[in-house]
Amino acid sequence: MKKAIIASLSVACLAMGSCSGNKDNALQLNKNNIDEIVNAMTLEEKSLLLVGIGMPGMSGTETVVGETDMIIPGAAGVTNAIPRLGIPSIVLADGPAGLRIKPTRENDSKTYYCTAFPVGVCLAASWNKQLVEQTGEAIGNEVREYGCDILLAPGTNIQRNPLCGRNYEYYSEDPILSGMTAAAYIKGVQKMGVGTSIKHFALNNQETNRSYMDSRASERAKREIYYKPFEIAIKEAKPWTVMSSYNYIDGVYASQNPTLLQDVLRGEWGYKGLVMTDWFGGDNGAANIQSGNDLIMPGSDDRRAQIIEAYKKGELSDEALNASVKRTLELIVKCPTFNGYQYSNNPDLKAHAQISRNNACEGIVLLKNNDNTLPITSKSKNIALFGITSYCYNSGGIGSGDVNEAYTVDLLEGMKNAGFNLDTKLAKKYQDSVKEQTEKYDKEHAGKNDAIFAKFTPKDFAINGNEIEGYALTNELAIITLGRMSGEFADRHISEFYLKEEEKNLINQVSETFHKNNKKVVVVLNICGAMETASWRDKVDAILVPWLGGQEGGNAVADVLSGKVNPSGKLPMTFYKDYFDTPGAKNFPYDKIADAKSMFGDKAVNRDSIENYDYTIYSEDIFVGYRGLEKEGKEAAYPFGYGLSYTTFQIEDLKVERKKTKVIIKVTIKNSGDFPGKEVAQLFVTSPHAEKHPLRELLDYQKTDKLIAGQSQELTFDIDFDRLSCWDEELHSSTMDIGEYTFQVGDKKVKIKL
Ligand code: GLC
């Protein structure tokens, strides 16, 4: 009962816009009296502040938490208020692709839809820091205007393996692209006066048994690959909070790991903000606090009891407890809620939809375009749109990273909006199947509480040869959309990497029949991550990868197919020829389907029992993705950083100049084709002592402006020497090798002795 009173008080206090609880109590929280407040708080109040109110419907043993306790229905969690001291609840909400709250509320005619922006991997594929920052600003605006304080994003874990269920939410296999994208995103969101929570720190690179599995990697792999994106983003963008990950790291829970959270994060990187657990992460509130994990979310009474008991026994120090309380108060006083911001509940969703569409376009990667199949110049052409995903388009992924948007533009609608004529008979065939499959699914799952956040994706089906013959006669072009979906709580099974039987048949039949009639075939990959392409790409004329492009996805693909936008995306990860070309392929649960029931996993008797389930060894060490593939001398189907344009670009000039503690690299890029477009300058470095390094590593990148035919642009990179260092496991520090360095952009290289 006590909790409920505090909870309802916190709601009441929030309603007052700031929190002045007990009127005659002079001491009320403000930005300048935090130490005083800490000293005035009781142990009970401190434990209350450091443990969230809880998840709707789930009991904190004393109270069952309801939607209204979330203050903003659909928010992921809130902190407890301490009205006596003027401390309000603050609201924490997901997610990386846009604010995730309930779109409707009981007894409220207003709606609360949010914009579904391109998912993380699509943003990374744009290789455009300014665009990512702009996306962050728009999302941050919706967080603020719908009354939330902290956005639980960005997801920044390395895509170590193509089958990790949450790769769609993350950015890349490369730590530099991941870190710089995250930094841009955080800057954008926090410009709006709300906070972020860079997550999941660290080594959360699989969903299978995520709450109990033990990630085991070398110190060098941690420093140069898995910690690196967080280090870059934290130093550059100062996220208000960090979310620790579920998993163990070398046998210690990340959320109870002083080496990770005190020594590295705060000691070495100088992070001053708050650390929170992932939801239900860890198993001991006192160990969380003692290790520097300040806030326990969503929280429960037993976590609070652990704090109080440990403190009374002297197992939780005053210093650690008060440090966490102080950091939590320092966070609260920054938040819109504390500062009484009068949110509108009316963000400019129309303007944000346009931003979502533009940014989705820039994330689209053109993998193949034989004989200038694309763009489709003539609108008079009839188009046969195959693939059920064309009609049930994937705007986002599964789980807390998904958005409750008002609509999704599928590819049929997008192509129609662009003025194309689509074969209506074929469209009806697919639309009828979507309807029938969806109704069947809904009937079978009515009232069942199956996989949490489950998302139904209809299955493709075979079309008989005569029918396809008919479509080939009456249409000028075929487009086939293939879909791949994934998300939180489960990794993808290895079968997801390859074409399904019905997809193989569709590609074979359509390409054979349309080519026989001198018609072309375009494949659109509406996917959550890398998949196999080598076995079928020669059968088609063009391949486009729009990823999960948000609510305007269908319009964005049509913008590129029609030539309104020249594609400038580049792969943020390797498209391997075969799954087993993935470095460390066998050290991943590729054949263990983890589903929602194992969301909380099985607490292993000991963490050495089942490989890739209770523990995962990062056997590839620093050689993740292209770093490993190139070291092994293997070829990708499409390599990291690859992407075509409707025009061509030349690297006109590349030069390097040594300064005292850095090098300055200048590169000039020219649009040598006929179509205006943007190009990405990807700066790679090859270090001396090649035996211990990858053949090349991404160092930085910049995207040009839109260059017209014949136009050039010079880009400058300012590279401090410490960015050329690597981790020395003997010295336990980073060191810079002396010798000859090679810098490369495109096909140009320059060397310099450093
Ligand atoms: C989830 C996710 C995390 C999310 C949080 C709140 O389990 O791991 O990314 O922000 O819980 O929904």
Side-chain angles (χ1 to χ4, degrees):
M1 196 46 200
K2 182 165 37 53
K3 257 319 252 319
I5 292 169
I6 291 169
S8 50
L9 256 182
S10 66
V11 176
C13 127
L14 187 91
M16 286 187 278
S18 65
C19 204
S20 45
N22 175 336
K23 282 279 178 270
D24 56 11
N25 177 324
L27 190 57
Q28 295 286 284
L29 176 65
N30 65 54
K31 294 183 197 302
N32 305 311
N33 68 354
I34 288 174
D35 289 335
E36 229 181 310
I37 294 285
V38 174
N39 293 334
M41 288 172 78
T42 64
L43 173 60
E44 178 80 11
E45 289 171 330
K46 289 178 182 177
S47 70
L48 203 59
L49 182 70
L50 299 181
V51 178
I53 268 190
M55 203 84 160
M58 299 189 85
S59 158
T61 62
E62 283 176 35
T63 54
V64 177
V65 176
E67 272 303 343
T68 49
D69 293 303
M70 292 297 107
I71 304 174
I72 303 294
V78 293
T79 59
N80 273 297
I82 315 282
R84 178 178 80 85
L85 296 165
I87 302 170
S89 287
I90 58 170
V91 182
L92 316 171
D94 288 307
L99 179 64
R100 178 183 174 82
I101 58 173
K102 278 188 185 293
T104 55
R105 296 174 188 174
E106 272 172 45
N107 311 319
D108 183 343
S109 59
K110 186 175 168 18
T111 57
Y112 299 84
Y113 288 108
C114 300
T115 306
F117 290 89
V119 299
V121 70
C122 186
L123 290 181
S126 74
W127 292 66
N128 185 333
K129 297 168 188 172
Q130 293 70 30
L131 171 142
V132 172
E133 187 165 335
Q134 180 201 39
T135 308
E137 285 176 37
I139 296 175
N141 175 269
E142 291 188 21
V143 171
R144 189 184 67 196
E145 291 313 316
Y146 276 132
C148 299
D149 296 293
I150 307 291
L151 180 71
L152 303 172
T156 312
N157 294 95
I158 290 292
Q159 297 166 351
R160 167 178 176 252
N161 181 292
L163 299 178
C164 171
R166 294 185 83 169
N167 278 352
Y168 84 89
E169 280 187 84
Y170 304 153
Y171 295 126
S172 171
E173 68 187 33
D174 179 273
I176 305 303
L177 179 56
S178 299
M180 292 185 172
T181 304
Y185 182 99
I186 291 163
K187 282 181 201 167
V189 171
Q190 295 187 166
K191 256 187 198 166
M192 292 294 136
V194 295
T196 56
S197 192
I198 188 170
K199 65 189 187 182
H200 309 89
F201 189 51
L203 282 86
N204 180 183
N205 305 100
Q206 69 184 57
E207 285 301 287
T208 302
N209 198 25
R210 66 180 187 172
S211 298
Y212 298 112
M213 62 76 63
D214 187 13
S215 295
R216 300 176 182 174
S218 74
E219 187 62 17
R220 186 178 178 200
K222 288 184 186 114
R223 296 291 186 149
E224 292 187 18
I225 306 293
Y226 297 99
Y227 292 178
K228 183 55 78 177
F230 293 89
E231 180 183 5
I232 291 168
I234 284 166
K235 287 182 176 175
E236 190 177 322
K238 296 183 178 50
W240 287 11
T241 77
V242 171
M243 184 187 289
S244 56
S245 59
Y246 281 122
N247 50 282
Y248 290 86
I249 299 176
D250 302 331
V252 180
Y253 264 134
S255 65
Q256 298 166 191
N257 194 318
T259 306
L260 181 76
L261 303 178
Q262 301 287 36
D263 302 348
V264 176
L265 178 64
R266 295 203 167 101
E268 289 180 38
W269 299 351
Y271 182 62
K272 301 274 182 270
L274 174 134
V275 177
M276 70 175 83
T277 62
D278 197 343
W279 266 229
F280 305 107
D283 63 3
N284 185 298
N288 291 131
I289 306 298
Q290 193 62 46
S291 311
N293 187 113
D294 308 299
L295 183 62
I296 294 146
M297 292 305 294
S300 62
D301 296 306
D302 56 6
R303 291 296 172 94
R304 280 183 49 220
Q306 288 166 340
I307 292 171
I308 291 170
E309 193 185 326
Y311 182 80
K312 286 179 177 170
K313 283 185 188 166
E315 291 160 3
L316 172 58
S317 70
D318 237 341
E319 186 201 358
L321 181 64
N322 289 341
S324 288
V325 169
K326 183 169 180 180
R327 285 191 286 261
T328 306
L329 295 175
E330 286 168 341
L331 175 69
I332 290 170
V333 298
K334 290 163 71 169
C335 290
T337 296
F338 179 79
N339 291 291
Y341 180 75
Q342 298 305 306
Y343 54 89
S344 65
N345 271 331
N346 194 21
D348 188 344
L349 297 182
K350 208 163 159 19
H352 292 172
Q354 192 53 51
I355 292 172
S356 180
R357 175 170 176 171
N358 296 342
N359 297 355
C361 285
E362 279 225 21
I364 293 177
V365 181
L366 179 61
L367 293 181
K368 179 174 183 179
N369 189 21
N370 268 12
D371 311 328
N372 295 322
T373 300
L374 298 177
I376 308 167
T377 42
S378 146
K379 291 287 168 57
S380 61
K381 278 186 177 175
N382 289 333
I383 295 174
L385 190 55
F386 292 94
I388 201 155
T389 306
S390 307
Y391 304 88
C392 192
Y393 199 74
N394 301 317
S395 63
I398 294 169
S400 58
D402 195 21
V403 179
N404 297 316
E405 70 266 30
Y407 63 86
T408 296
V409 177
D410 68 17
L411 189 50
L412 175 71
E413 190 183 348
M415 295 298 279
K416 280 182 179 170
N417 293 342
F420 288 107
N421 302 310
L422 289 304
D423 189 294
T424 49
K425 182 176 161 238
L426 180 57
K428 185 175 180 326
K429 185 183 186 68
Y430 276 110
Q431 287 174 314
D432 288 352
S433 177
V434 170
K435 187 168 177 295
E436 186 193 328
Q437 290 190 54
T438 307
E439 281 167 358
K440 184 166 174 288
Y441 176 86
D442 290 346
K443 211 161 119 209
E444 285 165 2
H445 289 75
K448 267 196 206 151
N449 182 18
D450 56 10
I452 300 180
F453 301 108
K455 225 180 206 184
F456 173 61
T457 45
K459 272 176 68 60
D460 245 316
F461 49 86
I463 297 178
N464 80 47
N466 298 336
E467 260 194 77
I468 294 181
E469 192 68 51
Y471 296 125
L473 292 173
T474 52
N475 291 283
E476 298 302 304
L477 178 84
I479 296 176
I480 305 172
T481 304
L482 303 182
R484 285 293 178 278
M485 175 54 68
S486 75
E488 196 170 347
F489 313 121
D491 294 311
R492 293 197 289 160
H493 189 276
I494 187 171
S495 59
E496 288 288 303
F497 184 79
Y498 303 100
L499 285 189
K500 299 175 175 25
E501 216 38 50
E502 61 272 19
E503 293 170 334
K504 265 185 213 157
N505 297 337
L506 190 61
I507 286 178
N508 289 338
Q509 285 178 310
V510 170
S511 47
E512 194 183 314
T513 312
F514 273 70
H515 287 153
K516 192 172 65 182
N517 288 277
N518 293 319
K519 313 284 177 70
K520 293 194 171 175
V521 180
V522 177
V523 170
V524 173
L525 299 180
N526 177 209
I527 54 179
C528 54
M531 68 180 282
E532 192 274 332
T533 51
S535 67
W536 53 269
R537 61 183 170 183
D538 295 339
K539 298 177 181 183
V540 301
D541 304 284
I543 303 174
L544 208 58
V545 188
W547 314 102
L548 308 177
Q551 65 187 54
E552 291 284 334
N555 279 332
V557 174
D559 287 344
V560 169
L561 288 177
S562 66
K564 183 180 167 204
V565 174
N566 182 358
S568 60
K570 309 286 178 188
L571 291 181
M573 85 293 280
T574 303
F575 272 41
Y576 301 102
K577 285 184 177 172
D578 185 83
Y579 168 74
F580 289 100
D581 285 345
T582 308
K586 289 198 167 54
N587 294 99
F588 190 82
Y590 59 90
D591 55 353
K592 292 180 179 64
I593 290 262
D595 55 27
K597 59 180 179 302
S598 71
M599 173 169 101
F600 296 105
D602 310 313
K603 199 170 180 81
V605 172
N606 69 55
R607 269 186 300 285
D608 292 326
S609 34
I610 307 170
E611 187 170 22
N612 301 333
Y613 186 79
D614 296 313
Y615 69 93
T616 294
I617 296 172
Y618 289 35
S619 58
E620 74 285 4
D621 200 69
I622 62 166
F623 298 99
V624 180
Y626 71 92
R627 287 171 161 80
L629 199 73
E630 294 173 357
K631 192 80 177 179
E632 292 163 22
K634 286 182 186 167
E635 254 196 18
Y638 294 105
F640 170 79
Y642 181 85
L644 300 176
S645 168
Y646 292 152
T647 187
T648 54
F649 294 96
Q650 270 170 358
I651 311 290
E652 274 192 317
D653 186 22
L654 177 65
K655 43 183 184 275
V656 58
E657 187 189 348
R658 174 181 181 143
K659 299 290 186 184
K660 201 158 174 297
T661 58
K662 61 183 175 182
V663 285
I664 305 288
I665 291 155
K666 290 182 188 290
V667 61
T668 305
I669 292 180
K670 179 179 180 181
N671 180 342
S672 49
D674 309 325
F675 217 102
K678 297 182 178 182
E679 177 59 311
V680 179
Q682 300 161 349
L683 174 62
F684 287 91
V685 64
T686 299
S687 303
H689 308 309
E691 73 289 349
K692 67 178 187 180
H693 291 287
L695 299 190
R696 60 182 188 139
E697 297 172 77
L698 184 70
L699 204 47
D700 202 336
Y701 60 93
Q702 286 181 46
K703 198 164 200 175
T704 67
D705 302 330
K706 187 191 280 191
L707 304 177
I708 60 171
Q711 186 182 0
S712 300
Q713 183 176 357
E714 181 183 78
L715 302 171
T716 302
F717 294 96
D718 191 322
I719 306 290
D720 283 339
F721 284 161
D722 65 3
R723 291 170 64 185
L724 301 175
S725 62
C726 65
W727 188 260
D728 184 314
E729 298 214 333
E730 270 81 58
L731 297 174
H732 285 293
S733 71
S734 58
T735 58
M736 181 182 162
D737 289 335
I738 304 298
E740 182 177 76
Y741 284 80
T742 303
F743 295 102
Q744 176 182 3
V745 177
D747 57 2
K748 289 280 186 310
K749 293 183 179 181
V750 285
K751 297 180 187 298
I752 186 168
K753 280 206 183 321
L754 296 174

Short mmCIF file of all heavy atoms in Angstrom, two decimals, residues 627-659:
data_model
loop_
_atom_site.label_atom_id
_atom_site.label_comp_id
_atom_site.label_asym_id
_atom_site.label_seq_id
_atom_site.Cartn_x
_atom_site.Cartn_y
_atom_site.Cartn_z
N ARG A 627 37.10 -6.96 -40.97
CA ARG A 627 38.45 -7.09 -40.41
C ARG A 627 38.93 -8.54 -40.45
O ARG A 627 40.08 -8.82 -40.71
CB ARG A 627 38.45 -6.60 -38.96
CG ARG A 627 38.34 -5.10 -38.79
CD ARG A 627 38.12 -4.76 -37.33
NE ARG A 627 38.45 -3.38 -37.02
CZ ARG A 627 37.64 -2.35 -37.26
NH1 ARG A 627 36.47 -2.58 -37.80
NH2 ARG A 627 38.00 -1.13 -36.97
N GLY A 628 37.99 -9.45 -40.21
CA GLY A 628 38.35 -10.87 -40.22
C GLY A 628 38.32 -11.45 -41.62
O GLY A 628 39.24 -12.18 -42.03
N LEU A 629 37.30 -11.11 -42.38
CA LEU A 629 37.15 -11.68 -43.73
C LEU A 629 38.35 -11.35 -44.59
O LEU A 629 38.94 -12.22 -45.24
CB LEU A 629 35.88 -11.11 -44.38
CG LEU A 629 35.34 -11.90 -45.55
CD1 LEU A 629 34.69 -13.20 -45.07
CD2 LEU A 629 34.33 -11.06 -46.34
N GLU A 630 38.80 -10.08 -44.54
CA GLU A 630 39.95 -9.67 -45.37
C GLU A 630 41.23 -10.29 -44.86
O GLU A 630 42.10 -10.69 -45.61
CB GLU A 630 40.04 -8.13 -45.39
CG GLU A 630 38.86 -7.49 -46.10
CD GLU A 630 38.84 -5.99 -46.01
OE1 GLU A 630 39.72 -5.40 -45.33
OE2 GLU A 630 37.95 -5.36 -46.59
N LYS A 631 41.34 -10.45 -43.55
CA LYS A 631 42.55 -11.06 -42.96
C LYS A 631 42.66 -12.50 -43.44
O LYS A 631 43.74 -13.01 -43.67
CB LYS A 631 42.44 -11.02 -41.44
CG LYS A 631 43.72 -11.36 -40.68
CD LYS A 631 44.68 -10.19 -40.63
CE LYS A 631 45.92 -10.50 -39.81
NZ LYS A 631 46.86 -9.36 -39.79
N GLU A 632 41.49 -13.15 -43.61
CA GLU A 632 41.48 -14.55 -44.07
C GLU A 632 41.57 -14.64 -45.59
O GLU A 632 41.51 -15.71 -46.17
CB GLU A 632 40.19 -15.23 -43.58
CG GLU A 632 40.11 -15.42 -42.07
CD GLU A 632 38.67 -15.71 -41.62
OE1 GLU A 632 37.85 -16.17 -42.46
OE2 GLU A 632 38.35 -15.45 -40.45
N GLY A 633 41.63 -13.46 -46.24
CA GLY A 633 41.75 -13.47 -47.70
C GLY A 633 40.49 -13.92 -48.40
O GLY A 633 40.52 -14.39 -49.53
N LYS A 634 39.35 -13.82 -47.72
CA LYS A 634 38.08 -14.25 -48.34
C LYS A 634 37.36 -13.05 -48.95
O LYS A 634 37.55 -11.92 -48.52
CB LYS A 634 37.16 -14.87 -47.28
CG LYS A 634 37.57 -16.26 -46.84
CD LYS A 634 36.59 -16.82 -45.83
CE LYS A 634 37.08 -18.16 -45.27
NZ LYS A 634 36.29 -18.54 -44.07
N GLU A 635 36.50 -13.31 -49.91
CA GLU A 635 35.74 -12.25 -50.57
C GLU A 635 34.32 -12.23 -50.03
O GLU A 635 33.76 -13.28 -49.71
CB GLU A 635 35.67 -12.55 -52.07
CG GLU A 635 36.55 -11.66 -52.89
CD GLU A 635 36.18 -11.71 -54.37
OE1 GLU A 635 35.06 -12.15 -54.73
OE2 GLU A 635 37.02 -11.32 -55.15
N ALA A 636 33.79 -11.02 -49.97
CA ALA A 636 32.38 -10.90 -49.56
C ALA A 636 31.51 -10.95 -50.81
O ALA A 636 32.00 -10.71 -51.92
CB ALA A 636 32.18 -9.56 -48.85
N ALA A 637 30.23 -11.25 -50.65
CA ALA A 637 29.31 -11.08 -51.77
C ALA A 637 29.26 -9.59 -52.07
O ALA A 637 29.41 -9.15 -53.20
CB ALA A 637 27.93 -11.61 -51.39
N TYR A 638 29.05 -8.80 -51.01
CA TYR A 638 29.15 -7.33 -51.11
C TYR A 638 29.87 -6.85 -49.85
O TYR A 638 29.43 -7.14 -48.75
CB TYR A 638 27.77 -6.69 -51.20
CG TYR A 638 27.04 -7.04 -52.50
CD1 TYR A 638 26.00 -7.96 -52.50
CD2 TYR A 638 27.40 -6.46 -53.71
CE1 TYR A 638 25.35 -8.31 -53.67
CE2 TYR A 638 26.74 -6.80 -54.89
CZ TYR A 638 25.72 -7.71 -54.86
OH TYR A 638 25.08 -8.06 -56.03
N PRO A 639 30.98 -6.13 -50.00
CA PRO A 639 31.81 -5.81 -48.83
C PRO A 639 31.27 -4.65 -47.99
O PRO A 639 30.49 -3.83 -48.48
CB PRO A 639 33.16 -5.43 -49.44
CG PRO A 639 32.85 -4.97 -50.81
CD PRO A 639 31.65 -5.71 -51.26
N PHE A 640 31.72 -4.60 -46.76
CA PHE A 640 31.47 -3.46 -45.87
C PHE A 640 31.80 -2.17 -46.62
O PHE A 640 32.83 -2.06 -47.28
CB PHE A 640 32.36 -3.59 -44.64
CG PHE A 640 32.38 -2.38 -43.75
CD1 PHE A 640 31.36 -2.14 -42.86
CD2 PHE A 640 33.42 -1.46 -43.83
CE1 PHE A 640 31.38 -1.02 -42.03
CE2 PHE A 640 33.44 -0.33 -43.01
CZ PHE A 640 32.42 -0.11 -42.11
N GLY A 641 30.90 -1.20 -46.57
CA GLY A 641 31.17 0.11 -47.18
C GLY A 641 30.76 0.21 -48.63
O GLY A 641 30.86 1.27 -49.24
N TYR A 642 30.23 -0.90 -49.19
CA TYR A 642 29.89 -0.94 -50.62
C TYR A 642 28.53 -0.32 -50.88
O TYR A 642 27.60 -0.43 -50.09
CB TYR A 642 29.86 -2.40 -51.09
CG TYR A 642 29.55 -2.59 -52.55
CD1 TYR A 642 30.55 -2.53 -53.50
CD2 TYR A 642 28.23 -2.84 -52.97
CE1 TYR A 642 30.27 -2.72 -54.85
CE2 TYR A 642 27.96 -3.02 -54.32
CZ TYR A 642 28.96 -2.95 -55.25
OH TYR A 642 28.68 -3.13 -56.59
N GLY A 643 28.43 0.38 -52.01
CA GLY A 643 27.14 0.93 -52.44
C GLY A 643 27.34 1.69 -53.74
O GLY A 643 28.32 2.40 -53.89
N LEU A 644 26.42 1.49 -54.69
CA LEU A 644 26.50 2.15 -56.00
C LEU A 644 25.69 3.43 -56.01
O LEU A 644 24.95 3.72 -55.06
CB LEU A 644 25.98 1.20 -57.08
CG LEU A 644 26.72 -0.14 -57.25
CD1 LEU A 644 26.02 -1.01 -58.28
CD2 LEU A 644 28.18 0.11 -57.64
N SER A 645 25.81 4.17 -57.10
CA SER A 645 25.07 5.41 -57.30
C SER A 645 24.56 5.42 -58.74
O SER A 645 25.01 4.60 -59.56
CB SER A 645 26.02 6.59 -57.06
OG SER A 645 25.44 7.80 -57.48
N TYR A 646 23.68 6.32 -59.08
CA TYR A 646 23.27 6.47 -60.48
C TYR A 646 24.31 7.30 -61.24
O TYR A 646 24.19 7.48 -62.44
CB TYR A 646 21.91 7.17 -60.56
CG TYR A 646 20.76 6.34 -60.03
CD1 TYR A 646 19.62 6.96 -59.49
CD2 TYR A 646 20.79 4.95 -60.04
CE1 TYR A 646 18.56 6.20 -58.99
CE2 TYR A 646 19.74 4.19 -59.56
CZ TYR A 646 18.63 4.82 -59.04
OH TYR A 646 17.57 4.07 -58.55
N THR A 647 25.28 7.83 -60.49
CA THR A 647 26.37 8.53 -61.18
C THR A 647 27.68 7.84 -60.80
O THR A 647 27.67 6.80 -60.15
CB THR A 647 26.39 10.03 -60.79
OG1 THR A 647 27.36 10.69 -61.59
CG2 THR A 647 26.74 10.23 -59.32
N THR A 648 28.81 8.42 -61.22
CA THR A 648 30.11 7.85 -60.81
C THR A 648 30.91 8.96 -60.12
O THR A 648 30.68 10.15 -60.37
CB THR A 648 30.90 7.36 -62.04
OG1 THR A 648 30.98 8.46 -62.97
CG2 THR A 648 30.23 6.16 -62.67
N PHE A 649 31.83 8.56 -59.27
CA PHE A 649 32.68 9.54 -58.57
C PHE A 649 34.13 9.14 -58.73
O PHE A 649 34.45 7.96 -58.87
CB PHE A 649 32.33 9.57 -57.07
CG PHE A 649 30.94 10.09 -56.77
CD1 PHE A 649 29.88 9.22 -56.59
CD2 PHE A 649 30.72 11.46 -56.70
CE1 PHE A 649 28.61 9.70 -56.33
CE2 PHE A 649 29.44 11.95 -56.43
CZ PHE A 649 28.38 11.06 -56.26
N GLN A 650 34.97 10.15 -58.74
CA GLN A 650 36.42 9.88 -58.77
C GLN A 650 37.06 10.52 -57.54
O GLN A 650 36.68 11.62 -57.13
CB GLN A 650 37.04 10.50 -60.03
CG GLN A 650 37.03 9.56 -61.21
CD GLN A 650 37.42 10.29 -62.48
OE1 GLN A 650 37.64 11.52 -62.45
NE2 GLN A 650 37.47 9.57 -63.59
N ILE A 651 38.05 9.78 -56.97
CA ILE A 651 38.86 10.39 -55.92
C ILE A 651 39.97 11.12 -56.66
O ILE A 651 40.86 10.50 -57.24
CB ILE A 651 39.49 9.31 -55.00
CG1 ILE A 651 38.44 8.30 -54.53
CG2 ILE A 651 40.22 9.96 -53.84
CD1 ILE A 651 37.44 8.84 -53.56
N GLU A 652 39.86 12.43 -56.71
CA GLU A 652 40.81 13.19 -57.53
C GLU A 652 42.16 13.34 -56.86
O GLU A 652 43.21 13.31 -57.49
CB GLU A 652 40.22 14.58 -57.79
CG GLU A 652 39.30 14.58 -58.99
CD GLU A 652 38.98 16.01 -59.39
OE1 GLU A 652 38.73 16.83 -58.49
OE2 GLU A 652 39.00 16.29 -60.59
N ASP A 653 42.11 13.54 -55.54
CA ASP A 653 43.40 13.85 -54.90
C ASP A 653 43.34 13.39 -53.44
O ASP A 653 42.31 13.54 -52.79
CB ASP A 653 43.61 15.38 -54.95
CG ASP A 653 45.00 15.75 -54.45
OD1 ASP A 653 45.86 14.85 -54.48
OD2 ASP A 653 45.19 16.88 -54.00
N LEU A 654 44.42 12.78 -52.97
CA LEU A 654 44.47 12.36 -51.56
C LEU A 654 45.85 12.74 -51.02
O LEU A 654 46.86 12.32 -51.60
CB LEU A 654 44.25 10.85 -51.45
CG LEU A 654 44.35 10.25 -50.05
CD1 LEU A 654 43.26 10.78 -49.14
CD2 LEU A 654 44.29 8.72 -50.12
N LYS A 655 45.87 13.57 -49.99
CA LYS A 655 47.19 13.90 -49.46
C LYS A 655 47.15 13.90 -47.93
O LYS A 655 46.11 14.06 -47.32
CB LYS A 655 47.71 15.24 -49.99
CG LYS A 655 46.75 16.39 -50.04
CD LYS A 655 47.46 17.61 -50.67
CE LYS A 655 46.58 18.83 -50.66
NZ LYS A 655 45.66 18.92 -51.81
N VAL A 656 48.36 13.64 -47.37
CA VAL A 656 48.46 13.59 -45.91
C VAL A 656 49.59 14.50 -45.46
O VAL A 656 50.63 14.59 -46.11
CB VAL A 656 48.70 12.13 -45.42
CG1 VAL A 656 49.95 11.54 -46.01
CG2 VAL A 656 48.73 12.09 -43.90
N GLU A 657 49.32 15.16 -44.36
CA GLU A 657 50.33 16.10 -43.83
C GLU A 657 50.49 15.82 -42.34
O GLU A 657 49.51 15.69 -41.62
CB GLU A 657 49.82 17.54 -44.03
CG GLU A 657 50.83 18.60 -43.67
CD GLU A 657 50.17 19.99 -43.68
OE1 GLU A 657 49.02 20.11 -44.17
OE2 GLU A 657 50.79 20.92 -43.15
N ARG A 658 51.77 15.70 -41.93
CA ARG A 658 52.00 15.40 -40.51
C ARG A 658 52.07 16.70 -39.72
O ARG A 658 52.67 17.68 -40.13
CB ARG A 658 53.33 14.65 -40.34
CG ARG A 658 53.62 14.47 -38.88
CD ARG A 658 54.91 13.77 -38.58
NE ARG A 658 55.04 13.65 -37.12
CZ ARG A 658 55.57 12.59 -36.53
NH1 ARG A 658 56.03 11.59 -37.25
NH2 ARG A 658 55.67 12.53 -35.22
N LYS A 659 51.38 16.71 -38.57
CA LYS A 659 51.50 17.80 -37.61
C LYS A 659 52.12 17.22 -36.35
O LYS A 659 52.43 16.01 -36.32
CB LYS A 659 50.11 18.38 -37.29
CG LYS A 659 49.36 18.95 -38.48
CD LYS A 659 50.00 20.23 -38.97
CE LYS A 659 49.18 20.90 -40.06
NZ LYS A 659 49.87 22.08 -40.60
#
